Amino acid sequence: RLHELKAVMIGKLIREQRQTIEELWERTNSSDGEKASFDRYFYVNDEDKLTDVLLAKHEEYAGALNAKLEKMQPILDLIGRRESIIEERVELEMLQKDPDRLKGRNASKQLMKEEKMM
């Protein structure tokens, strides 16, 4: 009975794995060549060919992508940090171009904020 239920749900399980794989491709910035290496399994839509073996291939590939993401995570964190620093620098440059920023009531707070950004 469990095998019958799995046979009925196999299509849904494979589609869920495909969605996971697409998300992992996005997060790992996978190239078209990397994606193409899995095409022969990814684009199988014939209900007769959606089998346990195909599901296992999808799960195995998703596991490999997860492992790749774990290895890349420290670098991705550094890239994210770099991007936030660049955004702060752009914001600081925009603030420094505004000559009226020091004429208001909160001029001292503005100066302190700019000093922290430097």
Side-chain angles (χ1 to χ4, degrees), residues 1-15:
R1 178 178 151 112
L2 196 58
H3 290 295
E4 292 172 14
L5 182 60
K6 187 175 182 181
V8 170
M9 298 293 292
I10 195 90
K12 181 181 178 196
L13 294 172
I14 289 174
R15 283 187 287 281

Side-chain angles (χ1 to χ4, degrees), residues 44-58:
V44 173
N45 290 319
D46 185 8
E47 289 293 326
D48 295 335
K49 294 181 180 178
L50 298 179
T51 62
D52 292 339
V53 174
L54 188 64
L55 179 60
K57 291 279 188 194
H58 279 71

Side-chain angles (χ1 to χ4, degrees), residues 84-98:
S84 68
I85 290 170
I86 289 173
E87 286 177 21
E88 285 181 11
R89 286 184 65 190
V90 169
E91 182 182 335
L92 176 62
E93 289 173 6
M94 294 299 289
L95 287 173
Q96 288 176 339
K97 288 181 183 178
D98 182 17

Side-chain angles (χ1 to χ4, degrees), residues 27-87:
R27 292 180 66 191
T28 58
N29 297 319
S30 294
S31 68
D32 290 336
E34 289 175 289
K35 294 175 185 178
S37 69
F38 195 68
D39 278 355
R40 67 175 180 249
Y41 302 113
F42 195 77
Y43 292 107
V44 173
N45 290 319
D46 185 8
E47 289 293 326
D48 295 335
K49 294 181 180 178
L50 298 179
T51 62
D52 292 339
V53 174
L54 188 64
L55 179 60
K57 291 279 188 194
H58 279 71
E59 289 172 346
E60 179 183 321
Y61 188 68
L65 286 174
N66 270 321
K68 179 180 178 181
L69 180 62
E70 285 180 26
K71 280 185 178 178
M72 292 176 64
Q73 196 59 51
I75 295 170
L76 294 174
D77 291 342
L78 290 173
I79 291 171
R81 185 170 168 220
R82 178 183 177 269
E83 294 297 320
S84 68
I85 290 170
I86 289 173
E87 286 177 21

